Amino acid sequence: LAFLLIAFFMLTTTLGKSVAMDLNMPKPTDAESEKTVVKESKVLNIILEKDSKIWYYDGTTVMGLKQTDFSPEGIRQVILNKHKFVDSKFGRDDKGDVQTIVLIKPTDDAKYEDLVGILDEMDITKTKIYSIQKPVPLEEEAIANGGTPAAAN
């Protein structure tokens, strides 16, 4: 009887393998020659803050941050509008996907649930090019000032 129990537990533990999402991470680099240059008009920055607040801005220059939420009329519509703009200006890539580049930047106060929520939005809106990064100090300053960096005042 003990042999059967041991065999049963050995069999069930080998059958239940965990499933994880594949994640491709680039190698960190400081060399300017190895950094990828992108068109500023393709970029949408999304900053996740405490209390499920979402700040966003277009391009790579930190200015004019706007606030939204996780409703379908909120961040999803922002992403879809960016897709329409990028699609009309640059067309689709070789695979037929829109070329919008989304930079997701959770602050230290953001909830893990919000990060999962924004990744779900990437899937729902069929955004294929996105990256998770730390917010830069200028972005954190802009959030503290209601959307405008102090240097711009």
Side-chain angles (χ1 to χ4, degrees):
L1 183 63
F3 174 74
L4 290 174
L5 284 173
I6 292 172
F8 171 76
F9 287 117
M10 287 177 55
L11 180 64
T12 57
T13 56
T14 58
L15 291 179
K17 294 182 180 176
S18 63
V19 178
M21 179 174 70
D22 290 331
L23 185 61
N24 295 324
M25 297 294 287
K27 296 175 188 169
T29 180
D30 289 329
E32 287 296 320
S33 62
E34 294 182 22
K35 291 186 178 179
T36 304
V37 178
V38 297
K39 300 246 186 236
E40 185 167 346
S41 55
K42 289 183 181 182
V43 178
L44 175 65
N45 289 271
I46 298 174
I47 304 168
L48 305 174
E49 196 191 11
K50 64 182 174 186
D51 301 327
S52 298
K53 291 180 186 171
I54 303 173
W55 294 87
Y56 68 94
Y57 66 96
D58 289 319
T60 56
T61 305
V62 181
M63 58 189 263
L65 276 73
K66 298 176 189 133
Q67 196 172 359
T68 189
D69 55 26
F70 278 103
S71 69
E73 299 81 27
I75 193 63
R76 185 176 304 166
Q77 196 58 50
V78 170
I79 296 167
L80 292 172
N81 289 343
K82 185 66 174 184
H83 282 344
K84 285 179 191 172
F85 171 77
V86 171
D87 196 28
S88 68
K89 190 165 182 174
F90 299 101
R92 301 284 174 125
D93 66 7
D94 297 339
K95 297 177 187 172
D97 296 322
V98 72
Q99 298 183 49
T100 305
I101 300 167
V102 178
L103 305 179
I104 303 167
K105 302 176 181 184
T107 63
D108 291 338
D109 297 329
K111 291 191 258 175
Y112 181 74
E113 173 186 338
D114 293 340
L115 181 60
V116 171
I118 202 69
L119 292 175
D120 285 344
E121 292 296 333
M122 295 298 105
D123 188 44
I124 291 166
T125 59
K126 296 181 177 38
T127 303
K128 301 295 182 186
I129 307 170
Y130 58 90
S131 171
I132 301 172
Q133 304 176 356
K134 289 187 75 70
V136 296
L138 192 58
E139 290 167 331
E140 292 175 342
E141 180 183 309
I143 289 170
N145 291 328
T148 307
N153 288 334

